[in-house]
Short mmCIF file of all heavy atoms in Angstrom, two decimals:
data_model
loop_
_atom_site.label_atom_id
_atom_site.label_comp_id
_atom_site.label_asym_id
_atom_site.label_seq_id
_atom_site.Cartn_x
_atom_site.Cartn_y
_atom_site.Cartn_z
N VAL A 258 -6.46 4.64 -7.34
CA VAL A 258 -6.28 6.01 -7.61
C VAL A 258 -6.99 6.91 -6.55
O VAL A 258 -6.63 8.03 -6.32
CB VAL A 258 -6.60 6.29 -9.05
CG1 VAL A 258 -8.06 6.23 -9.28
CG2 VAL A 258 -6.21 7.69 -9.32
N ALA A 259 -8.12 6.44 -6.01
CA ALA A 259 -8.97 7.20 -5.10
C ALA A 259 -8.18 7.55 -3.85
O ALA A 259 -8.46 8.51 -3.22
CB ALA A 259 -10.24 6.39 -4.77
N CYS A 260 -7.15 6.70 -3.45
CA CYS A 260 -6.50 6.99 -2.30
C CYS A 260 -4.91 7.19 -2.47
O CYS A 260 -4.29 8.03 -1.75
CB CYS A 260 -6.61 5.84 -1.15
SG CYS A 260 -8.30 5.48 -0.79
N HIS A 261 -4.42 6.49 -3.45
CA HIS A 261 -2.96 6.62 -3.63
C HIS A 261 -2.53 7.35 -4.88
O HIS A 261 -1.33 7.55 -5.11
CB HIS A 261 -2.33 5.22 -3.71
CG HIS A 261 -2.69 4.37 -2.56
ND1 HIS A 261 -2.13 4.63 -1.22
CD2 HIS A 261 -3.55 3.31 -2.23
CE1 HIS A 261 -2.59 3.78 -0.31
NE2 HIS A 261 -3.51 2.98 -0.96
N GLY A 262 -3.49 7.87 -5.73
CA GLY A 262 -3.25 8.45 -6.98
C GLY A 262 -2.58 7.65 -7.96
O GLY A 262 -2.09 6.51 -7.65
N LYS A 263 -2.44 8.16 -9.13
CA LYS A 263 -1.56 7.42 -10.24
C LYS A 263 -0.14 7.44 -10.01
O LYS A 263 0.66 6.62 -10.46
CB LYS A 263 -1.98 7.98 -11.57
CG LYS A 263 -3.28 7.70 -12.06
CD LYS A 263 -3.49 8.22 -13.52
CE LYS A 263 -4.97 7.78 -14.00
NZ LYS A 263 -5.14 8.23 -15.40
N ASP A 264 0.32 8.52 -9.28
CA ASP A 264 1.79 8.73 -9.02
C ASP A 264 2.28 8.10 -7.72
O ASP A 264 3.41 8.13 -7.47
CB ASP A 264 2.15 10.12 -9.06
CG ASP A 264 1.40 11.04 -7.97
OD1 ASP A 264 0.68 10.43 -7.36
OD2 ASP A 264 1.67 12.36 -7.98
N GLY A 265 1.35 7.39 -7.05
CA GLY A 265 1.78 6.71 -5.85
C GLY A 265 1.88 7.47 -4.63
O GLY A 265 2.50 7.11 -3.57
N VAL A 266 1.39 8.82 -4.61
CA VAL A 266 1.46 9.71 -3.48
C VAL A 266 0.04 9.73 -2.89
O VAL A 266 -0.91 10.14 -3.50
CB VAL A 266 1.91 11.15 -3.89
CG1 VAL A 266 1.91 12.00 -2.68
CG2 VAL A 266 3.25 11.19 -4.50
N GLY A 267 0.03 9.37 -1.55
CA GLY A 267 -1.36 9.39 -0.91
C GLY A 267 -2.07 10.66 -0.87
O GLY A 267 -1.43 11.79 -0.70
N LEU A 268 -3.40 10.65 -1.21
CA LEU A 268 -4.07 11.96 -1.45
C LEU A 268 -4.45 12.62 -0.09
O LEU A 268 -4.79 13.77 -0.12
CB LEU A 268 -5.30 11.54 -2.25
CG LEU A 268 -5.21 11.06 -3.55
CD1 LEU A 268 -6.54 10.93 -4.25
CD2 LEU A 268 -4.22 11.78 -4.35
N THR A 269 -4.32 11.93 1.02
CA THR A 269 -4.44 12.63 2.37
C THR A 269 -3.28 12.19 3.26
O THR A 269 -2.66 11.19 2.90
CB THR A 269 -5.77 12.27 3.01
OG1 THR A 269 -5.66 10.97 3.71
CG2 THR A 269 -6.81 12.19 2.18
N PRO A 270 -3.01 12.94 4.32
CA PRO A 270 -1.89 12.54 5.15
C PRO A 270 -2.04 11.18 5.81
O PRO A 270 -1.08 10.61 6.37
CB PRO A 270 -1.94 13.66 6.19
CG PRO A 270 -2.53 14.83 5.61
CD PRO A 270 -3.67 14.28 4.79
N ASP A 271 -3.21 10.65 5.78
CA ASP A 271 -3.56 9.34 6.43
C ASP A 271 -3.28 8.16 5.53
O ASP A 271 -3.36 6.96 6.00
CB ASP A 271 -4.99 9.37 6.95
CG ASP A 271 -5.19 10.49 7.98
OD1 ASP A 271 -4.81 10.28 9.08
OD2 ASP A 271 -5.79 11.46 7.58
N TYR A 272 -3.08 8.43 4.32
CA TYR A 272 -2.91 7.24 3.35
C TYR A 272 -1.31 7.22 3.00
O TYR A 272 -0.79 8.20 2.72
CB TYR A 272 -3.72 7.47 2.12
CG TYR A 272 -5.16 7.16 2.33
CD1 TYR A 272 -6.08 8.10 2.28
CD2 TYR A 272 -5.58 5.80 2.75
CE1 TYR A 272 -7.43 7.80 2.58
CE2 TYR A 272 -6.85 5.58 2.92
CZ TYR A 272 -7.83 6.53 2.89
OH TYR A 272 -9.14 6.13 3.13
N PRO A 273 -0.86 6.01 2.87
CA PRO A 273 0.64 5.86 2.60
C PRO A 273 1.04 6.25 1.18
O PRO A 273 0.22 6.08 0.19
CB PRO A 273 0.81 4.39 2.74
CG PRO A 273 -0.50 3.71 2.50
CD PRO A 273 -1.44 4.71 3.03
N ASN A 274 2.16 6.83 1.02
CA ASN A 274 2.81 7.06 -0.27
C ASN A 274 3.40 5.68 -0.65
O ASN A 274 4.00 4.92 0.16
CB ASN A 274 4.03 8.08 -0.10
CG ASN A 274 3.43 9.42 0.21
OD1 ASN A 274 2.38 9.80 -0.26
ND2 ASN A 274 4.27 10.10 1.00
N LEU A 275 3.16 5.32 -1.95
CA LEU A 275 3.63 4.06 -2.42
C LEU A 275 4.83 4.17 -3.42
O LEU A 275 5.41 3.15 -3.82
CB LEU A 275 2.49 3.30 -3.09
CG LEU A 275 1.30 2.93 -2.21
CD1 LEU A 275 0.17 2.27 -3.04
CD2 LEU A 275 1.66 2.22 -0.98
N ALA A 276 5.02 5.38 -3.96
CA ALA A 276 5.89 5.68 -5.02
C ALA A 276 7.43 5.13 -4.60
O ALA A 276 7.84 5.74 -3.59
CB ALA A 276 5.88 7.09 -5.44
N GLY A 277 7.91 4.36 -5.26
CA GLY A 277 9.31 3.89 -5.08
C GLY A 277 9.43 2.89 -3.86
O GLY A 277 10.52 2.45 -3.48
N GLN A 278 8.27 2.49 -3.24
CA GLN A 278 8.42 1.47 -2.20
C GLN A 278 8.75 0.13 -2.80
O GLN A 278 8.52 -0.04 -4.01
CB GLN A 278 6.97 1.28 -1.56
CG GLN A 278 6.96 0.39 -0.27
CD GLN A 278 8.02 0.86 0.73
OE1 GLN A 278 9.13 0.50 0.82
NE2 GLN A 278 7.43 1.72 1.66
N HIS A 279 9.45 -0.63 -1.99
CA HIS A 279 9.99 -1.98 -2.62
C HIS A 279 8.86 -2.88 -3.09
O HIS A 279 7.76 -2.97 -2.48
CB HIS A 279 10.65 -2.65 -1.39
CG HIS A 279 11.87 -2.21 -0.98
ND1 HIS A 279 13.06 -2.16 -1.68
CD2 HIS A 279 12.11 -1.64 0.29
CE1 HIS A 279 14.05 -1.53 -1.00
NE2 HIS A 279 13.56 -1.29 0.18
N GLU A 280 9.02 -3.38 -4.36
CA GLU A 280 7.99 -4.05 -4.99
C GLU A 280 7.55 -5.34 -4.16
O GLU A 280 6.36 -5.59 -4.03
CB GLU A 280 8.42 -4.56 -6.33
CG GLU A 280 7.43 -5.34 -7.18
CD GLU A 280 7.89 -5.70 -8.44
OE1 GLU A 280 9.12 -5.16 -8.94
OE2 GLU A 280 7.30 -6.57 -9.22
N ASP A 281 8.51 -5.98 -3.55
CA ASP A 281 8.10 -7.15 -2.80
C ASP A 281 7.42 -6.70 -1.46
O ASP A 281 6.60 -7.58 -0.96
CB ASP A 281 9.30 -8.19 -2.51
CG ASP A 281 10.46 -7.39 -1.70
OD1 ASP A 281 10.47 -6.08 -1.66
OD2 ASP A 281 11.29 -8.07 -1.12
N TYR A 282 7.77 -5.62 -0.84
CA TYR A 282 7.04 -5.14 0.26
C TYR A 282 5.49 -4.81 0.01
O TYR A 282 4.61 -5.29 0.68
CB TYR A 282 7.62 -3.94 0.92
CG TYR A 282 6.89 -3.46 2.14
CD1 TYR A 282 6.96 -4.12 3.36
CD2 TYR A 282 6.00 -2.32 1.96
CE1 TYR A 282 6.26 -3.68 4.44
CE2 TYR A 282 5.25 -1.88 3.08
CZ TYR A 282 5.45 -2.61 4.32
OH TYR A 282 4.66 -2.09 5.33
N ILE A 283 5.26 -4.28 -1.15
CA ILE A 283 3.89 -3.85 -1.51
C ILE A 283 3.09 -5.21 -1.82
O ILE A 283 1.96 -5.27 -1.28
CB ILE A 283 3.79 -3.07 -2.82
CG1 ILE A 283 4.53 -1.74 -2.55
CG2 ILE A 283 2.41 -2.88 -3.29
CD1 ILE A 283 4.67 -0.73 -3.78
N LYS A 284 3.80 -6.21 -2.37
CA LYS A 284 3.09 -7.54 -2.52
C LYS A 284 2.77 -8.11 -1.24
O LYS A 284 1.71 -8.65 -0.90
CB LYS A 284 3.98 -8.41 -3.30
CG LYS A 284 4.21 -8.12 -4.82
CD LYS A 284 5.11 -9.18 -5.44
CE LYS A 284 5.35 -8.94 -6.89
NZ LYS A 284 6.36 -9.97 -7.42
N GLN A 285 3.75 -8.09 -0.35
CA GLN A 285 3.57 -8.69 1.08
C GLN A 285 2.38 -7.99 1.80
O GLN A 285 1.55 -8.66 2.41
CB GLN A 285 4.79 -8.61 1.90
CG GLN A 285 4.72 -9.27 3.18
CD GLN A 285 4.61 -10.79 3.11
OE1 GLN A 285 4.97 -11.38 2.11
NE2 GLN A 285 3.83 -11.38 4.07
N ALA A 286 2.33 -6.60 1.71
CA ALA A 286 1.22 -5.91 2.46
C ALA A 286 -0.12 -6.22 1.86
O ALA A 286 -1.11 -6.60 2.59
CB ALA A 286 1.56 -4.39 2.21
N LEU A 287 -0.30 -6.36 0.52
CA LEU A 287 -1.49 -6.77 -0.11
C LEU A 287 -1.96 -8.12 0.31
O LEU A 287 -3.09 -8.37 0.46
CB LEU A 287 -1.45 -6.52 -1.60
CG LEU A 287 -1.38 -5.08 -2.15
CD1 LEU A 287 -1.09 -4.99 -3.60
CD2 LEU A 287 -2.70 -4.36 -1.85
N HIS A 288 -0.99 -9.02 0.23
CA HIS A 288 -1.31 -10.42 0.65
C HIS A 288 -1.76 -10.36 2.19
O HIS A 288 -2.80 -11.19 2.51
CB HIS A 288 -0.11 -11.34 0.52
CG HIS A 288 0.12 -11.71 -0.90
ND1 HIS A 288 1.39 -11.61 -1.42
CD2 HIS A 288 -0.64 -12.25 -1.78
CE1 HIS A 288 1.34 -12.14 -2.83
NE2 HIS A 288 0.07 -12.48 -2.91
N ASN A 289 -1.20 -9.66 3.03
CA ASN A 289 -1.50 -9.53 4.44
C ASN A 289 -2.93 -8.97 4.68
O ASN A 289 -3.63 -9.48 5.54
CB ASN A 289 -0.43 -8.79 5.13
CG ASN A 289 0.83 -9.56 5.43
OD1 ASN A 289 0.94 -10.73 5.08
ND2 ASN A 289 1.74 -8.87 5.98
N TYR A 290 -3.25 -7.93 3.86
CA TYR A 290 -4.65 -7.42 3.91
C TYR A 290 -5.63 -8.41 3.32
O TYR A 290 -6.65 -8.64 3.97
CB TYR A 290 -4.80 -6.21 3.03
CG TYR A 290 -4.05 -5.02 3.77
CD1 TYR A 290 -3.17 -4.23 3.01
CD2 TYR A 290 -4.56 -4.49 5.00
CE1 TYR A 290 -2.60 -3.21 3.69
CE2 TYR A 290 -3.96 -3.40 5.54
CZ TYR A 290 -3.00 -2.67 4.85
OH TYR A 290 -2.48 -1.59 5.52
N LYS A 291 -5.21 -9.14 2.35
CA LYS A 291 -6.16 -10.21 1.74
C LYS A 291 -6.39 -11.26 2.64
O LYS A 291 -7.50 -11.80 2.81
CB LYS A 291 -5.55 -10.61 0.43
CG LYS A 291 -6.50 -11.59 -0.36
CD LYS A 291 -5.76 -11.98 -1.76
CE LYS A 291 -6.57 -12.88 -2.58
NZ LYS A 291 -7.80 -12.31 -3.16
N SER A 292 -5.31 -11.71 3.44
CA SER A 292 -5.47 -12.93 4.28
C SER A 292 -6.00 -12.53 5.65
O SER A 292 -6.40 -13.33 6.47
CB SER A 292 -3.95 -13.61 4.42
OG SER A 292 -3.24 -12.74 5.13
N GLY A 293 -5.95 -11.23 5.98
CA GLY A 293 -6.47 -10.82 7.30
C GLY A 293 -5.37 -10.63 8.36
O GLY A 293 -5.60 -10.37 9.52
N VAL A 294 -4.06 -10.94 7.99
CA VAL A 294 -2.93 -10.66 8.81
C VAL A 294 -2.90 -9.13 9.31
O VAL A 294 -2.60 -8.85 10.41
CB VAL A 294 -1.70 -11.13 8.15
CG1 VAL A 294 -0.38 -10.62 9.04
CG2 VAL A 294 -1.60 -12.63 7.97
N ARG A 295 -3.13 -8.40 8.30
CA ARG A 295 -3.46 -6.83 8.65
C ARG A 295 -4.84 -6.66 8.60
O ARG A 295 -5.65 -6.99 7.61
CB ARG A 295 -2.72 -6.03 7.54
CG ARG A 295 -1.21 -5.96 7.64
CD ARG A 295 -0.67 -4.83 6.84
NE ARG A 295 0.76 -4.66 6.75
CZ ARG A 295 1.45 -3.73 6.24
NH1 ARG A 295 0.70 -2.64 5.56
NH2 ARG A 295 2.63 -3.63 6.26
N LYS A 296 -5.36 -6.00 9.66
CA LYS A 296 -6.76 -5.75 9.72
C LYS A 296 -7.10 -4.27 9.63
O LYS A 296 -6.72 -3.42 10.29
CB LYS A 296 -7.21 -6.25 11.15
CG LYS A 296 -7.01 -7.69 11.49
CD LYS A 296 -7.25 -8.05 13.02
CE LYS A 296 -7.10 -9.49 13.13
NZ LYS A 296 -5.69 -9.91 12.94
#
């Protein structure tokens, strides 16, 4: 919530909006951050 809010809209222009993004894409992005594929 500190960056993406409860409604999925990024709180600053530098943070992504997540509302309505594909569920499987959000999962993939989180896995990539967790594994270090995204730095």
Side-chain angles (χ1 to χ4, degrees):
V258 68
C260 299
H261 304 290
K263 286 186 179 180
D264 59 0
V266 177
L268 300 188
T269 80
D271 301 281
Y272 286 112
N274 296 324
L275 302 180
Q278 187 58 272
H279 292 295
E280 182 176 347
D281 61 340
Y282 177 77
I283 296 175
K284 289 181 184 179
Q285 184 67 33
L287 288 172
H288 282 132
N289 285 351
Y290 285 123
K291 188 178 177 75
S292 68
V294 172
R295 286 193 183 188
K296 299 173 178 62

